[in-house]
Amino acid sequence: MMQLGLAPSVAWVDGAPVAPFLSNGPHLLFAVQWPIRRLGTPSEVASARLITSDGSFPLPLASGETCLADGACEAAPGPAVLALALHRPGPPAPDRVVFLSGDSRPKDAHVGEALRAALDPYLTGAFENEGSAFGIPPEEALPRSFAERQDWLQGVIDSAEAPRRLILMGRSSGARIASLLADSRPIRALVCLGYPFRKPSGPEEPERYAHLPGLQTPTLILQGLRDPYGGADIPGRYPLSANTQLVLFDTDHGFRGDPGIWYRVAREILLFLGHRARAAV
């Protein structure tokens, strides 16, 4: 018999208890493998969804335990995230996200906001933009050098009260800065969008990528196949650490084109946090 009332933040998947890897208010996220045949949820659950690389799918719920027959969800078999929304409120996410933009800010100011919106409602309360610490709105440039930005981020990492709850995210030069400092303390994860492996039409600069094979921090690199800073050729050209996952999208350096790409990016981030950079709540 499942005693769900004893553990209100635990789900039961095919008879086994599973703890959430992320919580934010009334939302709980669990790393699972689809398909699931039997799902037990706390009585406070209002709705359930399954998140995969291909989409987000509603799941039926019954009181106590739900039997999920074939056809209950169109998701393909494989790693997934189970998202439960509770009737009751909960505490904000203990995780802290710090996002660093690229050199083209404010042209890429939309990236941070689009990413934050796509991660809603799971990580938005903990999402900080690099410029917000200085009162600089996203539509304004960051009047600081690469070295000054490094010094600032090092201070953020050094002063973090719970470094294992710190998630660094960056686009282009922001991703490079974050990758150079990610191993300075044991943080939870590093997420890079449009990593600048090289300058378009420029000579190789090993200082851009030489450190990547040695990264110990769980790392996710999200890259466009048509990115001139490194695209479809990355797997055969730039060695990466065993702790790094590379996901390629049919897009460019700025992730322009299909507006739905940000929801695909967000799904990959949640899957990565659950299956590769897990931290029990």
Side-chain angles (χ1 to χ4, degrees), residues 251-275:
T251 189
D252 58 13
H253 190 58
F255 285 72
R256 289 178 287 263
D258 178 11
I261 194 170
W262 292 111
Y263 293 99
R264 290 160 53 202
V265 164
R267 292 196 298 268
E268 292 294 346
I269 291 173
L270 294 178
L271 286 164
F272 167 73
L273 291 177
H275 289 271

Tab-separated table of all heavy atoms in Angstrom, residues 251-275:
chain	number	residue	atom	x	y	z
A	251	THR	N	19.290	25.830	-36.159
A	251	THR	CA	19.204	27.271	-35.993
A	251	THR	C	20.600	27.868	-36.120
A	251	THR	O	21.556	27.160	-36.452
A	251	THR	CB	18.547	27.640	-34.646
A	251	THR	OG1	18.296	29.043	-34.606
A	251	THR	CG2	19.437	27.249	-33.477
A	252	ASP	N	20.714	29.183	-35.841
A	252	ASP	CA	21.991	29.875	-35.982
A	252	ASP	C	22.534	30.289	-34.611
A	252	ASP	O	22.062	29.819	-33.575
A	252	ASP	CB	21.842	31.085	-36.911
A	252	ASP	CG	20.798	32.076	-36.414
A	252	ASP	OD1	20.356	31.967	-35.234
A	252	ASP	OD2	20.405	32.969	-37.186
A	253	HIS	N	23.504	31.187	-34.610
A	253	HIS	CA	24.150	31.599	-33.363
A	253	HIS	C	23.185	32.320	-32.418
A	253	HIS	O	23.341	32.254	-31.202
A	253	HIS	CB	25.339	32.509	-33.694
A	253	HIS	CG	26.222	32.820	-32.526
A	253	HIS	ND1	26.852	31.848	-31.780
A	253	HIS	CD2	26.591	34.019	-31.971
A	253	HIS	CE1	27.569	32.414	-30.815
A	253	HIS	NE2	27.425	33.716	-30.908
A	254	GLY	N	22.217	33.025	-32.993
A	254	GLY	CA	21.274	33.776	-32.169
A	254	GLY	C	19.992	33.035	-31.861
A	254	GLY	O	19.069	33.614	-31.282
A	255	PHE	N	19.908	31.758	-32.250
A	255	PHE	CA	18.700	30.951	-32.039
A	255	PHE	C	17.473	31.640	-32.643
A	255	PHE	O	16.389	31.623	-32.075
A	255	PHE	CB	18.487	30.655	-30.544
A	255	PHE	CG	19.424	29.610	-30.017
A	255	PHE	CD1	20.775	29.890	-29.830
A	255	PHE	CD2	18.982	28.334	-29.724
A	255	PHE	CE1	21.664	28.922	-29.360
A	255	PHE	CE2	19.857	27.357	-29.253
A	255	PHE	CZ	21.200	27.654	-29.079
A	256	ARG	N	17.691	32.252	-33.804
A	256	ARG	CA	16.602	32.945	-34.484
A	256	ARG	C	15.816	31.976	-35.358
A	256	ARG	O	16.298	30.914	-35.725
A	256	ARG	CB	17.158	34.097	-35.333
A	256	ARG	CG	17.679	35.271	-34.515
A	256	ARG	CD	18.266	36.348	-35.423
A	256	ARG	NE	19.551	35.918	-35.971
A	256	ARG	CZ	20.722	36.257	-35.445
A	256	ARG	NH1	20.763	37.026	-34.370
A	256	ARG	NH2	21.847	35.846	-35.994
A	257	GLY	N	14.612	32.399	-35.708
A	257	GLY	CA	13.767	31.593	-36.578
A	257	GLY	C	12.491	31.189	-35.865
A	257	GLY	O	11.709	32.032	-35.432
A	258	ASP	N	12.300	29.897	-35.703
A	258	ASP	CA	11.096	29.352	-35.080
A	258	ASP	C	10.996	29.815	-33.628
A	258	ASP	O	11.848	29.484	-32.808
A	258	ASP	CB	11.149	27.831	-35.152
A	258	ASP	CG	9.953	27.167	-34.469
A	258	ASP	OD1	8.995	27.873	-34.136
A	258	ASP	OD2	10.005	25.941	-34.274
A	259	PRO	N	9.928	30.601	-33.278
A	259	PRO	CA	9.808	31.043	-31.878
A	259	PRO	C	9.629	29.892	-30.898
A	259	PRO	O	9.924	30.025	-29.707
A	259	PRO	CB	8.567	31.953	-31.902
A	259	PRO	CG	7.807	31.552	-33.125
A	259	PRO	CD	8.832	31.110	-34.121
A	260	GLY	N	9.186	28.748	-31.396
A	260	GLY	CA	9.020	27.597	-30.512
A	260	GLY	C	10.326	26.971	-30.082
A	260	GLY	O	10.329	26.088	-29.214
A	261	ILE	N	11.436	27.445	-30.643
A	261	ILE	CA	12.726	26.843	-30.287
A	261	ILE	C	13.050	27.039	-28.817
A	261	ILE	O	13.712	26.199	-28.202
A	261	ILE	CB	13.860	27.424	-31.170
A	261	ILE	CG1	15.116	26.553	-31.039
A	261	ILE	CG2	14.168	28.873	-30.808
A	261	ILE	CD1	16.195	26.885	-32.042
A	262	TRP	N	12.572	28.136	-28.215
A	262	TRP	CA	12.903	28.386	-26.808
A	262	TRP	C	12.243	27.372	-25.888
A	262	TRP	O	12.800	27.032	-24.844
A	262	TRP	CB	12.536	29.810	-26.426
A	262	TRP	CG	13.419	30.776	-27.144
A	262	TRP	CD1	13.081	31.641	-28.139
A	262	TRP	CD2	14.834	30.931	-26.956
A	262	TRP	NE1	14.191	32.323	-28.581
A	262	TRP	CE2	15.264	31.918	-27.872
A	262	TRP	CE3	15.761	30.345	-26.101
A	262	TRP	CZ2	16.601	32.313	-27.950
A	262	TRP	CZ3	17.091	30.735	-26.176
A	262	TRP	CH2	17.498	31.711	-27.093
A	263	TYR	N	11.076	26.859	-26.288
A	263	TYR	CA	10.448	25.820	-25.478
A	263	TYR	C	11.192	24.498	-25.638
A	263	TYR	O	11.297	23.719	-24.686
A	263	TYR	CB	8.973	25.681	-25.868
A	263	TYR	CG	8.190	26.916	-25.503
A	263	TYR	CD1	7.897	27.881	-26.467
A	263	TYR	CD2	7.793	27.152	-24.194
A	263	TYR	CE1	7.202	29.036	-26.130
A	263	TYR	CE2	7.106	28.310	-23.841
A	263	TYR	CZ	6.822	29.240	-24.818
A	263	TYR	OH	6.158	30.398	-24.474
A	264	ARG	N	11.740	24.255	-26.822
A	264	ARG	CA	12.579	23.070	-27.006
A	264	ARG	C	13.863	23.198	-26.196
A	264	ARG	O	14.328	22.227	-25.579
A	264	ARG	CB	12.883	22.888	-28.492
A	264	ARG	CG	11.669	22.469	-29.294
A	264	ARG	CD	11.835	22.761	-30.779
A	264	ARG	NE	13.064	22.204	-31.319
A	264	ARG	CZ	13.649	22.648	-32.435
A	264	ARG	NH1	13.122	23.675	-33.080
A	264	ARG	NH2	14.743	22.082	-32.879
A	265	VAL	N	14.447	24.386	-26.178
A	265	VAL	CA	15.645	24.632	-25.369
A	265	VAL	C	15.331	24.391	-23.890
A	265	VAL	O	16.095	23.734	-23.177
A	265	VAL	CB	16.154	26.068	-25.594
A	265	VAL	CG1	17.143	26.476	-24.506
A	265	VAL	CG2	16.797	26.198	-26.976
A	266	ALA	N	14.208	24.933	-23.429
A	266	ALA	CA	13.836	24.778	-22.018
A	266	ALA	C	13.621	23.314	-21.666
A	266	ALA	O	14.028	22.856	-20.590
A	266	ALA	CB	12.569	25.584	-21.719
A	267	ARG	N	13.010	22.558	-22.564
A	267	ARG	CA	12.797	21.129	-22.283
A	267	ARG	C	14.134	20.396	-22.152
A	267	ARG	O	14.298	19.550	-21.267
A	267	ARG	CB	11.931	20.499	-23.383
A	267	ARG	CG	10.497	21.003	-23.408
A	267	ARG	CD	9.599	20.110	-24.230
A	267	ARG	NE	9.975	20.021	-25.637
A	267	ARG	CZ	9.498	20.797	-26.604
A	267	ARG	NH1	8.641	21.767	-26.294
A	267	ARG	NH2	9.860	20.627	-27.855
A	268	GLU	N	15.092	20.730	-23.027
A	268	GLU	CA	16.393	20.082	-22.934
A	268	GLU	C	17.097	20.439	-21.621
A	268	GLU	O	17.778	19.604	-21.019
A	268	GLU	CB	17.270	20.478	-24.126
A	268	GLU	CG	16.791	19.933	-25.463
A	268	GLU	CD	16.874	18.420	-25.565
A	268	GLU	OE1	17.527	17.775	-24.722
A	268	GLU	OE2	16.269	17.874	-26.507
A	269	ILE	N	16.942	21.669	-21.166
A	269	ILE	CA	17.550	22.081	-19.900
A	269	ILE	C	16.942	21.307	-18.739
A	269	ILE	O	17.658	20.807	-17.856
A	269	ILE	CB	17.394	23.597	-19.696
A	269	ILE	CG1	18.259	24.350	-20.717
A	269	ILE	CG2	17.770	24.000	-18.273
A	269	ILE	CD1	18.051	25.849	-20.707
A	270	LEU	N	15.619	21.170	-18.722
A	270	LEU	CA	14.969	20.445	-17.629
A	270	LEU	C	15.361	18.970	-17.647
A	270	LEU	O	15.609	18.369	-16.592
A	270	LEU	CB	13.455	20.605	-17.738
A	270	LEU	CG	12.918	22.025	-17.518
A	270	LEU	CD1	11.406	22.052	-17.712
A	270	LEU	CD2	13.284	22.555	-16.137
A	271	LEU	N	15.424	18.372	-18.835
A	271	LEU	CA	15.857	16.973	-18.938
A	271	LEU	C	17.286	16.809	-18.435
A	271	LEU	O	17.614	15.851	-17.729
A	271	LEU	CB	15.746	16.497	-20.387
A	271	LEU	CG	14.334	16.220	-20.900
A	271	LEU	CD1	14.332	16.153	-22.434
A	271	LEU	CD2	13.798	14.924	-20.327
A	272	PHE	N	18.142	17.749	-18.806
A	272	PHE	CA	19.539	17.712	-18.366
A	272	PHE	C	19.645	17.840	-16.852
A	272	PHE	O	20.382	17.080	-16.205
A	272	PHE	CB	20.298	18.844	-19.058
A	272	PHE	CG	21.653	19.127	-18.488
A	272	PHE	CD1	22.708	18.266	-18.703
A	272	PHE	CD2	21.875	20.277	-17.741
A	272	PHE	CE1	23.966	18.543	-18.178
A	272	PHE	CE2	23.122	20.563	-17.212
A	272	PHE	CZ	24.165	19.685	-17.432
A	273	LEU	N	18.923	18.773	-16.262
A	273	LEU	CA	18.978	18.954	-14.807
A	273	LEU	C	18.469	17.723	-14.082
A	273	LEU	O	18.983	17.350	-13.021
A	273	LEU	CB	18.155	20.181	-14.405
A	273	LEU	CG	18.704	21.545	-14.831
A	273	LEU	CD1	17.741	22.652	-14.423
A	273	LEU	CD2	20.077	21.799	-14.239
A	274	GLY	N	17.474	17.064	-14.642
A	274	GLY	CA	16.909	15.899	-13.985
A	274	GLY	C	17.735	14.644	-14.132
A	274	GLY	O	17.866	13.858	-13.190
A	275	HIS	N	18.354	14.469	-15.304
A	275	HIS	CA	19.029	13.192	-15.589
A	275	HIS	C	20.551	13.280	-15.545
A	275	HIS	O	21.216	12.264	-15.394
A	275	HIS	CB	18.587	12.675	-16.957
A	275	HIS	CG	17.182	12.194	-16.992
A	275	HIS	ND1	16.823	10.893	-16.707
A	275	HIS	CD2	16.013	12.845	-17.260
A	275	HIS	CE1	15.514	10.758	-16.797
A	275	HIS	NE2	14.992	11.918	-17.141
